[in-house]
Amino acid sequence: MQKALKPGQRLGIMGGTFNPVHLGHLRAAEEIAESLKLDQIYFMPSARPPHKSPNPLVGYWHRLEMLKLAVSDRPGFWASDLENHLPTPSYTVNTVRAFKKAWSARTGIFFLVGLDSFMTLTGWHQYRELLNLASFVVFGRAGIEPSFDDMRAMLRRDVDPKVKWNSKTETFTAPNIKPIYFRPGGKLAISSTDLRQRLEAGASVRYLVPEPVRVYIEKNGLYRPDNRPE
Ligand code: ATP
Ligand code: MG
């Protein structure tokens, strides 16, 4: 794992398929890093996503390489290949456990996730343990439902009826879980699905992804109908 952290530092993990990474991912991470004063954020592409297999899903190494290019000029942001070293399918709970093992117990671990992904929580392997291992930071996505009320209802139904919203700290709390942050944020209505559709149609993705990522996609002919991967 890259770069030793000093005890007491705050570390973020952002999981996803990143098929491909885009400016919506990076801007969300930037805003959370700023507001929660995170020292480092690890972007972690799923080696084999347990839930969905978007079509086409380009190979793991391409997705990791694009992430490396995307974060190379931002100190404190890293592309992590940790999930490639863990058993598949890539369960988030195993990833967070591996992180906790690698870092000092005094390190604060925050798991960054968009509200659309967080709403699928009950389908996540050992999700109650997971909420105990890391503090989740959930952010809204521009133009995408669900809402804050949907999130609160889900938490009360599927996690604990005693879940409370604390508007001062902007967290949901309950006895046996770490605080769950919620940030409405989400200014950039960009999705990888939309990018794949554009690329498949031979359209431009300039200004939707970091320029080195756009060049990489073009050079390798990714997401084109005549270059079906895997
Ligand atoms: P796909 O359309 O293939 O699902 P995606 O754009 O949703 O791709 P993912 O790799 O699924 O990207 O997302 C990884 C994480 O980033 C998820 O938690 C997701 O909610 C979040 N995310 C994705 N796009 C944005 C965006 N534009 N703004 C904020 N968060 C985002
Ligand atoms: Mg998604």
Side-chain angles (χ1 to χ4, degrees):
M1 237 176 268
Q2 305 96 325
K3 299 287 159 197
L5 274 180
K6 294 187 197 95
Q9 282 200 305
R10 292 152 70 85
L11 179 156
I13 303 173
M14 184 157 169
T17 321
F18 300 112
N19 182 39
V21 59
H22 53 68
L23 294 179
H25 297 128
L26 295 167
R27 190 60 214 167
E30 183 72 15
E31 287 181 16
I32 299 298
E34 199 168 34
S35 76
L36 292 187
K37 301 195 180 355
L38 302 185
D39 298 289
Q40 305 200 25
I41 293 184
Y42 290 81
F43 294 79
M44 210 170 294
S46 303
R48 214 185 100 204
H51 298 300
K52 58 163 189 185
S53 267
N55 185 24
L57 175 64
V58 309
Y60 177 78
W61 296 108
H62 278 313
R63 289 182 286 122
L64 183 68
E65 194 53 40
M66 288 189 280
L67 270 171
K68 283 186 185 163
L69 292 170
V71 299
S72 63
D73 60 352
R74 168 54 162 101
F77 279 12
W78 307 96
S80 167
D81 66 353
L82 177 67
E83 288 208 349
N84 195 45
H85 301 290
L86 299 175
T88 56
S90 322
Y91 291 127
T92 303
V93 71
N94 294 336
T95 307
V96 173
R97 280 196 187 115
F99 250 86
K100 290 196 90 114
K101 223 160 116 186
W103 301 112
S104 148
R106 276 178 292 166
T107 304
I109 295 194
F110 297 82
F111 194 88
L112 280 53
V113 65
L115 181 53
D116 61 318
S117 304
F118 188 69
M119 289 300 287
T120 67
L121 181 71
T122 55
W124 296 23
H125 191 57
Q126 300 179 348
Y127 73 92
R128 288 173 190 281
E129 285 86 335
L130 182 57
L131 294 177
N132 233 323
L133 286 173
S135 214
F136 270 64
V137 183
V138 183
F139 40 87
R141 280 182 69 168
I144 290 191
E145 295 284 338
S147 66
F148 170 86
D149 288 342
D150 296 326
M151 176 172 169
R152 184 173 51 194
M154 183 274 280
L155 289 172
R156 288 186 176 158
R157 184 185 63 235
D158 298 326
V159 177
D160 189 329
K162 291 193 286 293
V163 163
K164 279 199 183 66
W165 172 249
N166 182 331
S167 56
K168 218 170 183 174
T169 55
E170 297 184 292
T171 54
F172 287 101
T173 53
N176 292 313
I177 58 167
K178 291 217 160 39
I180 300 173
Y181 292 79
F182 174 73
R183 298 289 150 105
K187 305 279 188 304
L188 299 182
I190 305 175
S191 74
S192 303
T193 301
D194 174 65
L195 294 177
R196 292 192 298 274
Q197 285 164 356
R198 286 174 197 268
L199 289 161
E200 183 143 354
S204 160
V205 296
R206 197 186 284 268
Y207 309 130
L208 296 172
V209 299
E211 183 60 8
V213 173
R214 188 193 67 79
V215 171
Y216 184 91
I217 290 172
E218 191 173 289
K219 215 163 80 191
N220 291 279
L222 302 184
Y223 305 104
R224 290 169 46 150
D226 54 351
N227 185 17
R228 285 273 178 220
E230 291 182 344

